[in-house]
Amino acid sequence: MGIITRISGPLVVADGMAGSKMYEVVKVGTRGLIGEIIQLRGSKAMIQVYEDTTGLKPNEKVANTGELLSVELAPGILGNIFDGLERPLEEIKRRCGDFVEKGIDIPSIDKGKKWKFVPTAKKGATLSEGDIIGYVQETPLIKHQIMVPYGVKGKLESIKGGSFKVEETIAVVRSGGGERKLSMLQRRPVRVAGRYSKRFKSDELLVTGQRVVDTFFPIAKGGTTGIPGPFGSGKTVILHSIAKYADSDVVVYVGCGERGNEMAEVLNEFPELKDPKSGRPLMERTILVANTSNMPVAAREASIYTGITVAEYFRDMGYDVSIMADSTSRWAEAMREMSARLEEMPGEEGYPAYLQKRLAEFYERSGRFEALGGGKGSISIIGAVSPPGGDISEPVSQGTLRVVKVFWALDASLAGARHFPSINWLSSYSLYKEGLARWYDKNGGPGFRDNVSKAMEILQREAELKDIVQLVGPDALPDSERAILEAGKIIREDFLRQSAFDEVDAFATIEKQYLMLGAIIKFAVQAQHAVSKGVPSSKLQEMKARQDISRMKFTENGKIAAEAQRIGSEMEREFESLIKGEE
Amino acid sequence: MAIIADVEYKTIESVYGPLVVVKKVSGAAYNEIVNIVMHDGSERLGQVLETASDYAIVQVFGPTAGIDVDKTSVRLTGETFRMGVSEGMLGRVFDGQGRPRDGGAEVIFDEKRDINGEPLNPVSRALPSDFIETGISSIDGLITLVKGQKLPLFSGSGLPHNELTAQIVRQARTRGSESNFAVVFAGIGITHDDADFFTDQFRSTGALSRTAAFINMADDPSIERILTPRIALTTAEFLAYGKGMDVLVILNDMTNYAEALRELSSAREEVPGRRGYPGYMYTDLSGIYERAGIIKGKRGSITQLDVVTMPGDDITHPIPDLTGYITEGQIFLSRELHNKGVYPPVNPTGSLSRLMNMGIGPGKTREDHRGVADQLYGAYAKAQEAGSLSSIVGEEALSEDDRRYLKFGSEFEKRFLSQDHGERRTIEETLSIGWDLLSSLPQRELTRIKPEYVKKYYKGE
């Protein structure tokens, strides 16, 4: 128990705190605001307070809890929306109305609700941490596996199925040290990375249904992506699209210091939207962590850790989990704000010198793993970065790019022309392409990778030719080069561009992506041939095939094969007759 | 309680900038409001910025001239900043601290509210989805404003943002229903001319009776600017959530607010962020902008139109930059269009409304709205490409398509973007002009509009 000696915004200094530990949670003041110790100096503790400190006075008390900042994990977590400290926002609303009050103590998980537990472990089995002892069918989509918590091992003395509250005993484990009762609830500290037995290579595609991503700049399951972009470049729309359509089992969406209306949008849309695989509402596989920009800044710093710890928990059950963090810049800024108040020596642009370390620690919690319990799961991290002025030479963007393997360069000029997703095809990259080669060969279709390289070559050539056109005008180009310009335009407008708001276009299966690109490349090749036979390039844009291709994006995934077939053969005939006309 | 808190300290140790350090104070609460009592008995308002066992740092919302270290005393009030609110504030003009400035009677208040507000629980937010028709084609057609949205006007010195704001206030309405509409105007560091312009506008159009205006003049103490937007928004929240009104809040000009924030930060000798603005400016601005919205199950809404003049027309300057990261889009005024004589000089390329999709489409505006807007955007971008090309190689060297786009571009600026100060166009008129323009392009170019709508509305061959 200590006494407050100084208050400056979210930073509180307390004296008489001997015996406290780093990152311990404390209750600050008479209202019991939640805080975390972030520095210890003798008997003095620096505390970052996760709630608004208005009205707090010196000499009020600070109480230790003895616990590190942790999250509660149990059935009931899916489909929920939490604040940065894992407090359920629906429940907060029920208790204190539309505005978030301070000092509310609400359990993360509903302790009163009963769940049907089905045991799978046998009595007498030898168990260790992470082993699965049974499950709860939490939603039709997700079997919530109940695991032995960290630090527990021994022989399973008893286990019972049936309907239980999350804190009730469902099993007893005996070891040399005595017996330990297990319930469906466990707690994990958020700042410590979860344990696992093995890491694997990332060689499976995370299908997102976004053509520019899956075909050109893919992310593997267990991979990391950074998306730096100025405001208005469509970061949030991309993250939403991926949260909706990615073929992950569980999605954790962290709204870190972003807009309240955006979270309202997610809350409004996701229950209505169906998972493309199962047809079930998306909320059944989604967990939202929302600390909007007007909520206390320190809890924003915690929200990223809360999110990744929840993701690890589901990974341990053997699920593929995606986590979207929008935006990691707000997280870094929260760090900077606390660092400044602690009067630490600032690094670049005022950020603390440990920024890079923290970024790396976060992204390194991704990967494909063999969990302690034997299941195989993965965590893919997609982090948005909001560089000031859109200039990615700043510390958060640079720190992120040093650790992530995929870079989607969002381009303000593309966004200005309403080319979405505004991922620049010339400056983005994905380091997973090589590792995914076998996946594409198996699942993409013959020549998939080949078509991708051809398309990239066309886009590259197009950019060069456009520079020339800027100087001398299009008339100076030979027809063969004008045909390349036309092909580039088709790739950009009819393949790379994709509407997140059109029901059909929003999600393209790998098959659809393959067939669309195939048709475009076929057009490009035949156009070159036709031009070499004397067909003027101006005829190309008038072709029916040209319009057929641009309509492909509005063709439903299920009907695309037949449509592609038709377009392909009609295109051949059209080119033949063009060439004949010239002879 | 009040008696215990009502303690006067004559222990001012230092005064610098807008700050006063008081020694031997214990028990000053963080963010508590204090009265600074001058030796002639007059009082000034202050707020505790930092408090410790033996000192408190107070910011003064007024001039620090005349404050001395021996005679001036500081009185703790035991309260955070709360202001009285009532419906009687409509039709009145106040100063930046919320005191009547129009010579009228004192307002009788219904209740007191904390000016900082409390964060709205994200699950309590209703998704904004009601189209607001401003009668301005560029905004309604391309950057649609939705009830409950916060949309700034990114402008520059000398651009007609005041005229445009006044026109929006005059013309804005939600369709279908005559709603209970009110305007809260916050002038933050504006000139006397601008203040007169707005009060005249409100008076002459009869808008004043449903307007509450809070005006901090350019020559008023700059620290008062920290209060003005908060006071305006607190009033707006009362009118919206307490009285069920649809409130349009105009914050003009947020650049002056940010300057005051920087002044305060540098007086506190804080580690500066970009260009001297404090590292917490994003959080601070969010506390203002995020107070726009609609609450589930309640009538009433707050829509914000915030004027931000970009220093040096630079959109990457920290003020517009951080604003853009918080607000739901922006209306971008362009000097180039202004110089060409286009009013309002809204440049669609830099503009965006993030909530547009919620407010448009069948039943709200029209089925083809999204497609038309996308196509106009795309075509205008191409027109500009063609324009820069033609300035190098000459118009004759352009392809036929490029020439069409070039023509489209100038027609678009003349017929779609431009309109009179008093002209109110319905959304149907706006879309119809859009189709007139698009019909000058070959039908095959309209790839962003669904084929069925092209069939229905396309007027070309």
Side-chain angles (χ1 to χ4, degrees):
Chain A
M1 189 78 95
I3 294 260
I4 297 175
T5 57
R6 187 183 147 217
I7 304 152
S8 168
L11 177 75
V12 164
V13 182
D15 209 350
M17 299 291 290
S20 308
K21 51 190 174 192
M22 255 320 244
Y23 299 124
E24 181 179 344
V25 173
V26 291
K27 296 280 174 86
V28 178
T30 43
R31 301 183 73 160
L33 307 182
I34 301 173
E36 184 186 12
I37 295 178
I38 52 170
Q39 221 176 70
L40 283 167
R41 286 183 188 175
S43 64
K44 275 201 168 140
M46 320 290 151
I47 299 160
Q48 71 171 341
V49 179
Y50 288 120
E51 298 179 78
D52 183 13
T53 51
T54 295
L56 206 60
K57 289 179 187 172
N59 295 330
E60 285 186 31
K61 291 194 169 59
V62 176
N64 292 76
T65 64
E67 283 188 55
L68 299 180
L69 190 66
S70 309
V71 288
E72 285 190 332
L73 302 158
I77 195 168
L78 282 167
N80 238 319
I81 174 164
F82 300 101
D83 76 354
L85 298 177
E86 210 209 3
R87 289 180 299 192
L89 287 168
E90 291 281 1
E91 188 59 29
I92 291 180
K93 183 186 172 189
R94 216 165 291 134
R95 290 204 199 172
C96 51
D98 294 324
F99 293 89
V100 181
E101 280 173 25
K102 298 178 272 196
I104 23 175
D105 198 3
I106 290 185
S108 306
I109 305 283
D110 186 348
K111 306 280 168 66
K113 185 164 178 181
K114 287 194 168 181
W115 296 93
K116 190 166 167 275
F117 173 67
V118 182
T120 51
K122 294 279 172 290
K123 194 179 153 187
T126 309
L127 296 174
S128 62
E129 52 185 15
D131 283 344
I132 290 167
I133 58 171
Y135 68 87
V136 168
Q137 190 73 45
E138 186 177 348
T139 70
L141 281 180
I142 299 293
K143 248 185 201 173
H144 192 123
Q145 307 284 1
I146 305 299
M147 296 170 286
V148 177
Y150 289 159
V152 176
K153 56 177 154 192
K155 224 166 128 184
L156 185 60
E157 188 137 295
S158 70
I159 184 164
K160 53 188 175 183
S163 205
F164 297 100
K165 296 179 186 167
V166 293
E167 285 177 312
E168 286 174 331
T169 304
I170 47 164
V172 178
V173 173
R174 177 175 293 281
S175 68
E179 62 169 42
R180 173 80 186 261
K181 289 179 177 145
L182 302 187
S183 70
M184 289 186 276
L185 179 90
Q186 54 172 291
R187 297 178 66 83
R188 287 190 186 180
V190 297
R191 293 192 194 273
V192 187
R195 300 176 210 168
Y196 55 86
S197 8
K198 220 166 46 192
R199 263 181 196 267
F200 299 110
K201 259 210 226 112
S202 299
D203 54 9
E204 200 179 313
L205 180 74
L206 178 74
V207 180
T208 66
Q210 312 304 302
R211 290 189 289 267
V212 58
V213 171
D214 293 349
T215 299
F216 287 96
F217 309 105
I219 169 169
K221 281 183 179 158
T224 49
T225 303
I227 323 178
F231 62 83
S233 58
K235 284 188 296 292
T236 303
V237 176
I238 294 177
L239 289 187
H240 282 194
S241 291
I242 294 176
K244 285 175 203 166
Y245 302 117
D247 65 339
S248 297
D249 302 308
V250 174
V251 170
V252 180
Y253 194 98
V254 185
C256 175
E258 290 291 302
R259 304 173 180 93
N261 278 336
E262 265 165 17
M263 291 322 290
E265 192 183 328
V266 173
L267 285 171
N268 222 44
E269 252 185 29
F270 278 33
E272 309 277 313
L273 286 169
K274 304 270 186 284
D275 173 30
K277 259 191 308 187
S278 62
R280 301 290 313 170
L282 276 178
M283 268 325 264
E284 290 182 359
R285 64 164 200 187
T286 309
I287 295 155
L288 300 170
V289 178
N291 222 84
T292 54
S293 57
N294 56 340
M295 288 159 86
V297 64
R300 193 181 303 165
E301 196 266 338
S303 64
I304 293 281
Y305 293 103
T306 298
I308 191 82
T309 309
V310 171
E312 283 174 346
Y313 176 67
F314 281 97
R315 168 205 70 189
D316 290 349
M317 299 177 198
Y319 289 120
D320 290 320
V321 186
S322 298
I323 171 167
M324 281 93 203
D326 186 15
S327 156
T328 56
S329 292
R330 307 301 162 219
W331 170 51
E333 282 164 9
M335 251 185 259
R336 174 169 71 181
E337 187 173 338
M338 290 315 295
S339 167
R341 291 194 194 262
L342 286 167
E343 291 167 10
E344 291 172 338
M345 186 68 82
E348 217 177 324
E349 292 195 20
Y351 286 103
Y354 45 78
L355 172 71
Q356 172 66 30
K357 188 187 90 180
R358 294 272 171 93
L359 284 169
E361 279 171 357
F362 169 62
Y363 282 105
E364 282 302 284
R365 286 169 84 166
S366 69
R368 282 184 79 206
F369 301 92
E370 185 180 297
L372 292 174
K376 279 184 190 160
S378 68
I379 296 181
S380 316
I381 301 182
I382 296 154
V385 186
S386 317
D391 174 9
I392 64 163
S393 67
E394 55 92 37
V396 185
S397 302
Q398 286 305 312
T400 303
L401 291 181
R402 283 219 289 279
V403 285
V404 298
K405 289 196 155 175
V406 182
F407 168 47
W408 296 335
L410 297 190
D411 187 325
S413 61
L414 288 175
R418 294 305 183 268
H419 175 114
F420 289 116
S422 65
I423 296 175
N424 184 308
W425 48 91
L426 296 177
S427 41
S428 300
Y429 60 79
S430 165
L431 300 181
Y432 293 111
K433 272 191 161 172
E434 287 302 306
L436 290 170
R438 285 181 57 186
W439 190 95
Y440 280 118
D441 290 344
K442 195 169 147 226
N443 301 279
F448 189 103
R449 289 193 294 134
D450 206 31
N451 281 348
V452 174
S453 348
K454 279 187 186 137
M456 274 315 284
E457 206 181 300
I458 292 172
L459 290 168
Q460 194 72 48
R461 281 286 288 148
E462 188 208 16
E464 291 164 13
L465 291 173
K466 271 186 155 176
D467 285 345
I468 298 173
V469 169
Q470 283 295 333
L471 294 174
V472 297
D475 284 346
L477 293 184
D479 263 355
S480 63
E481 292 188 335
R482 282 205 242 173
I484 291 176
L485 283 180
E486 188 63 19
K489 184 175 161 192
I490 299 176
I491 298 173
R492 281 187 288 114
E493 299 202 343
D494 300 324
F495 190 84
L496 297 176
R497 227 181 61 209
Q498 188 170 0
S499 167
F501 303 107
D502 184 90
E503 270 171 46
V504 176
D505 195 23
F507 174 77
T509 55
I510 289 294
E511 185 198 17
K512 181 170 171 182
Q513 302 187 24
Y514 168 68
L515 292 172
M516 282 178 76
L517 191 63
I520 294 170
I521 298 298
K522 189 169 181 179
F523 183 92
V525 171
Q526 298 204 3
Q528 276 307 334
H529 176 69
V531 168
S532 74
K533 294 278 179 195
V535 177
S537 63
S538 58
K539 289 237 164 118
L540 296 175
Q541 48 179 292
E542 308 285 350
M543 284 177 69
K544 182 170 175 299
R546 171 77 186 74
Q547 289 186 38
D548 279 343
I549 288 174
S550 76
R551 302 259 157 84
M552 280 178 99
K553 54 178 177 265
F554 297 123
T555 306
E556 282 166 44
N557 288 315
K559 297 183 183 154
I560 191 73
E563 181 70 1
Q565 185 82 44
R566 180 187 71 78
I567 293 173
S569 47
E570 283 182 18
M571 188 195 303
E572 271 170 38
R573 259 175 278 139
E574 204 182 355
F575 271 114
E576 271 167 31
S577 72
L578 270 182
I579 294 170
K580 249 188 211 132
E582 292 303 320
E583 279 166 5
Chain B
M1 279 302 283
I3 303 162
I4 306 169
D6 218 13
V7 191
E8 258 185 61
Y9 292 92
K10 279 210 165 177
T11 45
I12 293 181
E13 186 212 45
S14 50
V15 186
Y16 53 97
L19 301 181
V20 168
V21 179
V22 196
K23 281 286 183 186
K24 293 180 192 152
V25 181
S26 71
Y30 179 67
N31 273 350
E32 177 174 352
I33 287 300
V34 300
N35 290 314
I36 292 137
V37 187
M38 311 294 289
H39 65 272
D40 62 359
S42 65
E43 293 191 358
R44 283 174 201 169
L45 208 58
Q47 186 175 19
V48 176
L49 280 189
E50 183 171 327
T51 168
S53 315
D54 57 344
Y55 70 91
I57 300 175
V58 172
Q59 65 173 324
V60 184
F61 296 116
T64 43
I67 296 180
D68 60 17
V69 292
D70 36 275
K71 295 198 198 70
T72 308
S73 62
V74 172
R75 192 170 65 226
L76 303 182
T77 63
E79 282 200 345
T80 52
F81 201 133
R82 291 156 66 81
M83 66 175 287
V85 283
S86 82
E87 223 174 317
M89 296 169 83
L90 290 175
R92 301 292 303 271
V93 180
F94 303 88
D95 73 0
Q97 293 188 27
R99 297 170 298 206
R101 148 165 256 162
D102 52 5
E106 283 294 316
V107 179
I108 296 158
F109 296 118
D110 293 358
E111 59 178 275
K112 280 191 140 191
R113 286 185 173 227
D114 190 321
I115 66 157
N116 290 306
E118 270 174 331
L120 181 57
N121 190 330
V123 303
S124 287
R125 276 185 190 271
L127 200 59
S129 60
D130 291 334
F131 168 57
I132 296 182
E133 192 181 81
T134 65
I136 294 164
S137 288
S138 49
I139 297 177
D140 293 348
L142 305 174
I143 324 154
T144 316
L145 179 66
V146 177
K147 207 160 87 181
Q149 185 173 15
K150 43 193 178 290
L151 195 63
L153 269 171
F154 282 3
S155 185
S157 313
L159 294 181
H161 46 264
N162 287 343
E163 286 79 0
L164 180 58
T165 316
Q167 189 175 1
I168 293 173
V169 170
R170 274 199 313 273
Q171 298 186 166
R173 57 176 179 181
T174 48
R175 302 196 109 201
S177 61
E178 258 320 296
S179 57
N180 200 354
F181 193 64
V183 176
V184 173
F185 178 85
I188 307 163
I190 59 173
T191 61
H192 287 264
D193 283 350
D194 289 346
D196 290 346
F197 168 79
F198 278 106
T199 38
D200 285 352
Q201 280 283 332
F202 296 152
R203 211 165 269 138
S204 66
T205 57
L208 190 63
S209 62
R210 50 187 179 89
T211 301
F214 298 88
I215 296 177
N216 162 281
M217 300 285 188
D219 53 358
D220 283 339
S222 56
I223 295 304
E224 193 181 278
R225 288 168 202 158
I226 304 289
L227 293 178
T228 310
R230 295 188 162 82
I231 283 177
L233 284 161
T234 307
T235 310
E237 278 170 354
F238 170 77
L239 295 172
Y241 309 135
K243 297 288 167 190
M245 296 184 185
D246 289 316
V247 186
L248 178 64
V249 179
I250 314 273
L251 302 179
N252 182 3
D253 173 330
M254 284 302 286
T255 302
N256 294 332
Y257 171 84
E259 299 291 348
L261 201 65
R262 175 166 70 174
E263 187 183 334
L264 188 64
S265 170
S266 77
R268 295 189 65 192
E269 294 171 10
E270 290 169 338
V271 180
R274 280 178 78 215
R275 301 210 198 173
Y277 294 95
Y280 50 79
M281 190 155 88
Y282 177 83
T283 306
D284 190 278
L285 289 174
S286 318
I288 291 171
Y289 295 135
E290 278 288 324
R291 288 171 80 174
I294 308 177
I295 297 181
K296 270 186 200 156
K298 283 195 178 157
R299 291 189 306 136
S301 63
I302 296 180
T303 309
Q304 274 187 34
L305 208 59
D306 315 297
V307 176
V308 175
T309 45
M310 299 178 285
D313 290 354
D314 176 11
I315 196 170
T316 69
H317 184 282
I319 302 171
D321 187 52
L322 293 179
T323 299
Y325 275 119
I326 304 164
T327 53
E328 283 132 3
Q330 67 277 340
I331 300 171
F332 186 88
L333 301 190
S334 131
R335 196 169 297 278
E336 197 191 327
L337 286 173
H338 178 64
N339 292 344
K340 276 192 197 169
V342 175
Y343 172 87
V346 173
N347 183 356
T349 315
S351 301
L352 169 74
S353 165
R354 289 167 189 274
L355 301 181
M356 179 168 177
N357 284 320
M358 318 282 164
I360 63 171
K364 290 172 174 165
T365 56
R366 212 168 71 183
E367 56 195 359
D368 57 326
H369 193 157
R370 178 77 259 168
V372 170
D374 285 348
Q375 195 72 56
L376 287 172
Y377 264 117
Y380 189 52
K382 274 198 187 154
Q384 281 167 325
E385 266 177 41
S388 56
L389 187 58
S390 97
S391 65
I392 299 166
V393 299
E395 207 175 320
E396 300 73 43
L398 294 183
S399 69
E400 195 180 336
D401 270 5
D402 280 343
R403 272 199 296 270
R404 280 199 188 113
Y405 274 111
L406 201 59
K407 180 126 189 306
F408 167 89
S410 67
E411 286 295 307
F412 177 76
E413 287 170 6
K414 248 180 258 160
R415 295 182 53 201
F416 191 89
L417 296 183
S418 299
Q419 68 189 83
D420 275 348
H421 285 72
E423 185 182 356
R424 172 191 257 168
R425 291 186 194 150
T426 64
I427 184 65
E428 286 78 13
E429 285 167 347
T430 293
L431 290 175
S432 164
I433 298 172
W435 275 110
D436 283 349
L437 297 168
L438 291 177
S439 299
S440 70
L441 301 173
Q443 195 172 343
R444 65 178 147 78
E445 288 292 307
L446 307 188
T447 55
R448 302 192 184 191
I449 307 177
K450 284 203 173 165
E452 59 209 88
Y453 303 145
V454 175
K455 214 170 150 195
K456 188 164 167 190
Y457 296 104
Y458 184 71
K459 302 172 193 166
E461 313 116 40

